[in-house]
Amino acid sequence: MDQRNVTRLRVLEQIRTSGAISRIDIAAALNTSPATVTTATADLMSAGLIRETAGDSPADSGKRGRPRVLLELDPTSQVIAGLKIARDMILVMLVDFKGNEIKQSQYMLQDPRMPADTFVQEIRKAVEETCHQADLSLSDVSGISIGLAGMIDAERNFVYWSSSITENNVDFRPKLEAGLPCPAFIENDANLVAKAEQLFGLGRGHRNFLVVTIEHGVGLGIILNGKLHRGERGCGAEFGHTKVQLDGALCQCGQRGCLEAYVSEYALMREAVIAMQDSSPKSVSDIQKRADDGDIGAKSVLERASRMFGMGVSNLINLFDPEQIIVSGAKENIGHLCSDEVLERIKSNVVKVDAPLPEIKPHDWGDLMWAKGATAYGIEQVSILKVKEMASHAS
């Protein structure tokens, strides 16, 4: 982008994060001149992305004069779809440009893994169905943000590997452009949870924190100096595929000894079938209940997962020294990983310094956390595209 577009985008992002803010406060926050802000906001208003709204009246503020004019995103200007791809369904959330929820729905999948072309078709059907429920059409959607487990280069919409896709090394950009009527963006789902925690959750106010996600697989979102860290190829946060045992248990990625192969939902279920031969559990919460009732096999499954998880988190602390670590997932999947015993194990394996350990906090958002992160990313990406369009129209 040229400098003018960079300024427009910075101003738009400041308005977005502030909710409603005056021009003079934008200038102060961005350390730029009021004239520059006035020009940028005029351009953004002409494009229909922001609007003016009244601030406090003189009577409310105790001051004389007219109420301040504030700027906010125009919620009616764009509709964004945020998607979370799970094993058996696609969770779709439609939001306006301010992130207010319009509609949420679940679209059931026939298969947990599918070819790339089928995947794009299912994305379209899921969004179309949700739009229909909200009395909208697919043409009303400005952008589709897709949260997908796997190794993903988000800048290129390139998927190296995903448990949802049967092929490896798929360039989704042409497929999405051909199959969908609006821009679409694929991002690692753990990164989207980190974005959601940063904007709406336990990460608010923190500049350096980690989000470990536990569901069918194990993911990691990294926020460093307030920004999402992806790595050079977009594959820099694969915590679930760090190795905790040489030639160990088989992981769904095809390698052995990955942390995920001991801690994830599928790993616990696989281990429980062996350890609890008299009866097969139906869920992680079932394993937990059997352990609470004294089942030795169930206890051994959860204890081994906790040991491996504690080792992995200790390594994260030694590597990143974050302000906090958020363990995000369904309550039944993370409860045994955040016990006092696990915290003590983590503490014993961290390099000893005369300073407190980062806080380790569980957070059970359910599927909402994934969708909120996807919509936030979608708003961010659509904002970039709209600012670029302003420049092309001007030229």
Side-chain angles (χ1 to χ4, degrees):
M1 290 191 195
D2 60 23
Q3 188 55 48
R4 189 174 181 182
N5 267 351
V6 170
T7 300
R8 288 167 174 163
L9 195 58
R10 290 181 68 214
V11 169
L12 189 63
E13 184 62 22
Q14 186 63 48
I15 295 171
R16 177 191 173 198
T17 56
S18 301
I21 186 173
S22 68
R23 290 173 175 83
I24 194 68
D25 288 338
I26 295 172
L30 299 181
N31 193 27
T32 191
S33 71
T36 299
V37 170
T38 298
T39 300
T41 54
D43 294 339
L44 294 169
M45 287 183 68
S46 296
L49 298 178
I50 64 173
R51 66 184 183 184
E52 291 183 336
T53 184
D56 294 336
S57 68
D60 294 332
S61 62
K63 298 179 181 179
R64 295 181 179 180
R66 294 181 300 173
R68 288 195 308 163
V69 174
L70 304 181
L71 297 168
E72 65 178 6
L73 297 186
D74 185 347
T76 64
S77 65
Q78 315 291 331
V79 175
I80 310 295
L83 280 63
K84 157 62 178 172
I85 313 301
R87 280 183 61 77
D88 57 352
M89 71 171 182
I90 300 175
L91 178 70
V92 183
M93 181 183 289
L94 297 179
V95 299
D96 64 26
F97 199 42
K98 290 184 72 174
N100 301 311
E101 183 178 329
I102 298 171
K103 186 67 180 179
Q104 184 182 152
S105 72
Q106 294 180 356
Y107 175 85
M108 304 311 296
L109 294 170
Q110 296 298 315
D111 298 300
R113 302 188 75 216
M114 65 198 87
D117 290 334
T118 303
F119 176 79
V120 175
Q121 293 169 12
E122 295 292 271
I123 293 294
R124 184 182 182 110
K125 290 176 185 177
V127 177
E128 274 186 321
E129 187 175 291
T130 310
C131 286
H132 179 73
Q133 295 174 18
D135 293 324
L136 297 170
S137 70
L138 192 57
S139 62
D140 294 319
V141 179
S142 300
I144 300 173
S145 175
I146 304 160
L148 184 66
M151 300 176 184
I152 297 163
D153 184 341
E155 290 189 4
R156 295 192 294 144
N157 274 342
F158 191 93
V159 177
Y160 294 100
W161 173 87
S162 171
S163 56
S164 297
I165 310 298
T166 54
E167 306 104 312
N168 292 342
N169 301 314
V170 180
D171 183 0
F172 268 97
R173 178 166 292 169
K175 296 179 182 296
L176 295 170
E177 289 175 351
L180 299 173
C182 64
F185 324 99
I186 298 182
E187 174 62 286
N188 175 273
D189 53 4
N191 285 344
L192 296 181
V193 176
K195 177 69 74 173
E197 292 286 7
Q198 182 183 34
L199 294 175
F200 317 113
L202 299 179
R204 295 182 72 175
H206 294 278
R207 291 187 57 76
N208 295 285
F209 67 92
L210 308 176
V211 181
V212 178
T213 60
I214 308 288
E215 51 160 7
H216 180 72
V218 176
L220 175 67
I222 304 171
I223 301 294
L224 296 179
N225 295 318
K227 296 186 180 299
L228 185 64
H229 176 75
R230 294 186 176 92
E232 184 65 27
R233 300 170 299 157
C235 305
E238 289 300 328
F239 179 51
H241 301 290
T242 55
K243 302 302 179 281
V244 293
Q245 186 164 324
L246 186 64
D247 297 326
L250 182 64
C251 179
Q252 65 175 351
C253 75
Q255 297 186 358
R256 289 187 174 274
C258 298
L259 176 67
E260 183 177 290
Y262 297 93
V263 172
S264 66
E265 181 181 326
Y266 76 82
L268 293 179
M269 298 302 295
R270 179 178 64 189
E271 184 69 14
V273 169
I274 300 170
M276 303 163 61
Q277 296 179 3
D278 57 328
S279 58
S280 297
K282 298 179 175 61
S283 65
V284 175
S285 57
D286 192 11
I287 301 173
Q288 183 67 65
K289 184 179 183 304
R290 305 283 183 86
D292 293 341
D293 292 341
D295 187 300
I296 296 175
K299 282 184 175 181
S300 69
V301 171
L302 297 181
E303 285 172 359
R304 184 169 80 154
S306 298
R307 286 198 306 273
M308 294 298 190
F309 183 72
M311 182 192 308
V313 172
S314 299
N315 289 334
L316 287 180
I317 295 172
N318 288 335
L319 284 169
F320 291 101
D321 187 27
E323 296 174 68
Q324 68 171 352
I325 296 176
I326 302 167
V327 182
S328 194
K331 187 175 182 179
E332 62 269 19
N333 286 354
I334 63 176
H336 61 286
L337 302 177
C338 299
S339 66
D340 291 340
E341 292 82 0
V342 174
L343 295 179
E344 284 301 316
R345 186 173 292 116
I346 292 170
K347 190 180 298 184
S348 66
N349 287 321
V350 171
V351 173
K352 302 296 186 294
V353 293
D354 189 17
L357 284 176
E359 290 185 286
I360 300 174
K361 296 181 177 180
H363 196 185
D364 175 16
W365 271 25
D367 288 321
L368 180 63
M369 65 181 175
W370 310 90
K372 287 284 279 184
T375 58
Y377 181 62
I379 292 171
E380 183 180 273
Q381 294 303 304
V382 167
S383 298
I384 293 171
L385 291 179
K386 294 303 177 183
V387 167
K388 288 181 177 179
E389 285 177 12
M390 290 166 58
S392 63
H393 291 159
S395 60

